[in-house]
Amino acid sequence: MLIFLLFLAVSFSSFGQQPHGIFWSPELRLNPALTGVMTGKWRLMEHHRSQTFNQGGTLHWNTISADFRKDIIKKSGGYGLVMDEATGNTFGFGIMDDRRRSDSTGAEYIADYFSFSYRHAFKKSTFGFGIQPGYMRSEAEKKFDLNAGLLWGSGTIYCWQEDQIFKNQIGIAAYNILSDWADTALMPGREVQLHAGFLIKKVEQFNFVVNGLYRYNGSSDFAFGTYAIFFPIVHYAYWDRARLGLHYRSSNHLTWSAGLRFYGRGRKTFTLDGTISYDMPMKFLDFESKYKNAWEIGIVITRFEKCWSTDKCGN
């Protein structure tokens, strides 16, 4: 029993700060600079991950967030003809609740954050930054901490953005800046994340995104892979996009993922984008995996105006 508890403590220290997958991470958890980065005005996100260890024991993470954007406009024209003109400046505001629980005692914690971002659109690219102050607490301790991030993107994707908003985007984020690299076995410590994604021009009705994530929190962790986005020729009444993905994680897992977007019949409506994934250990290659398996499920709800174009990526 003592050996088992020691194993869990080591596992929590190594992986407690890396709850989410790469193929679809909640934007506010991936990078504070992604707050409000969308074409819609607001967004609600729910994400759940369950991870089982080789020696038993399960960790559950749940992240829920809400954010919205505010574009800065100016008045232009004259002589009775006054128009709103975009300045290229956008602010984002959001909140996030991040929780972990376990079937082992003493593994629970709660973290609540306020998220703020600013970005400016240049002629061919966009650059932005974000900050995220938060308050973390468990039965044993409480602490205030701070997250921050930078984001660069080029080429906006207009018709689907639950995966990424830009055709090419690169971001870096630092989490728990005020903590040590390995703060405690329970509470997450300092962490640096580098993420990137690139759209590959469509092949028939498919579009591909190649993306990757690197994390460092005293030890390294990375994932990379691709997913295919399928669009039908015409818009169906209640759905229009399917997603299939495959990624490799440095924990020696293959992550299989799938998703589908649903919406109402009108042109201006609401969407529910659902996704699910499974981390499969690579036993078929005799690789040793650091945990047994994991699964994730997530949804995005937002206001949506349909894009009646056969070119979904704005090429």
Side-chain angles (χ1 to χ4, degrees):
M1 183 65 179
L2 181 60
I3 296 177
F4 174 68
L5 291 176
L6 179 61
F7 172 84
L8 283 182
V10 172
S11 300
F12 291 162
S13 178
S14 301
F15 291 96
Q17 299 147 41
Q18 307 164 7
H20 303 295
I22 170 60
F23 78 98
W24 190 91
S25 290
E27 271 81 352
L28 273 64
R29 181 63 184 84
L30 182 64
N31 191 333
L34 289 168
T35 305
V37 178
M38 54 185 147
T39 55
K41 294 293 185 182
W42 56 268
R43 172 176 57 194
L44 299 175
M45 303 184 71
E46 162 67 19
H47 184 273
H48 180 83
R49 176 178 173 87
S50 179
Q51 179 174 302
T52 302
F53 293 95
N54 292 319
Q55 304 299 322
T58 304
L59 282 177
H60 304 278
W61 288 270
N62 196 78
T63 302
I64 185 169
S65 65
D67 60 327
F68 68 95
R69 68 178 178 89
K70 175 63 177 178
D71 296 324
I72 305 303
I73 60 174
K74 64 180 181 179
K75 301 293 183 180
S76 63
Y79 301 101
L81 181 61
V82 179
M83 302 176 61
D84 291 337
E85 181 181 343
T87 64
N89 300 306
T90 303
F91 291 95
F93 304 90
I95 55 174
M96 179 176 67
D97 179 84
D98 203 23
R99 299 178 180 235
R100 183 179 70 188
R101 60 184 177 85
S102 172
D103 51 13
S104 175
T105 59
E108 292 82 10
Y109 77 82
I110 300 173
D112 293 311
Y113 298 93
F114 169 77
S115 202
F116 167 82
S117 73
Y118 166 79
R119 73 180 192 274
H120 180 77
F122 300 93
K123 288 185 177 180
K124 295 184 179 181
S125 62
T126 297
F127 181 79
F129 69 88
I131 57 173
Q132 207 173 64
Y135 183 65
M136 308 174 69
R137 58 199 184 274
S138 67
E139 292 182 358
E141 60 180 313
K142 301 176 182 178
K143 67 176 182 177
F144 170 84
D145 224 314
L146 182 68
N147 310 328
L150 301 173
L151 178 70
W152 172 88
S154 66
T156 303
I157 299 172
Y158 294 101
C159 280
W160 53 273
Q161 297 187 330
E162 291 79 0
D163 307 283
Q164 67 180 45
I165 188 171
F166 300 109
K167 296 177 183 178
N168 304 294
Q169 68 181 40
I170 300 174
I172 184 170
Y175 278 77
N176 307 316
I177 297 173
L178 306 180
S179 301
D180 295 328
W181 287 109
D183 196 21
T184 67
L186 175 60
M187 301 287 274
R190 190 181 307 153
E191 176 182 305
V192 175
Q193 297 186 151
L194 175 65
H195 61 92
F198 305 96
L199 174 72
I200 298 176
K201 291 183 178 181
K202 67 178 183 179
V203 181
E204 299 298 334
Q205 295 171 244
F206 291 87
N207 295 271
F208 294 88
V209 169
V210 177
N211 61 349
L213 171 71
Y214 173 81
R215 293 188 181 108
Y216 179 81
N217 63 346
S219 61
S220 297
D221 176 52
F222 64 88
F224 63 89
T226 184
Y227 54 82
I229 308 295
F230 170 77
F231 289 96
I233 297 293
V234 298
H235 287 268
Y236 293 110
Y238 298 107
W239 70 277
D240 76 334
R241 192 194 73 238
R243 177 201 300 108
L244 290 174
L246 177 63
H247 290 78
Y248 168 77
R249 300 191 65 163
S250 57
S251 56
N252 289 330
H253 288 83
L254 290 178
T255 299
W256 303 86
S257 60
L260 197 64
R261 181 171 68 180
F262 300 91
Y263 51 61
R265 296 184 65 92
R267 180 167 185 176
K268 292 184 178 181
T269 181
F270 295 92
T271 68
L272 188 154
D273 190 6
T275 184
I276 190 169
S277 76
Y278 177 73
D279 289 4
M280 182 184 73
M282 300 176 67
K283 294 181 179 179
F284 56 93
L285 294 177
D286 293 328
F287 286 177
E288 182 180 352
S289 300
K290 297 180 180 179
Y291 57 90
K292 185 177 180 181
N293 55 51
W295 60 270
E296 298 181 31
I297 186 170
I299 60 172
V300 181
I301 300 174
T302 186
R303 185 71 173 169
F304 179 68
E305 183 173 350
K306 294 178 183 176
C307 175
W308 301 107
S309 169
T310 57
D311 181 1
K312 310 302 180 185
C313 293
N315 292 316

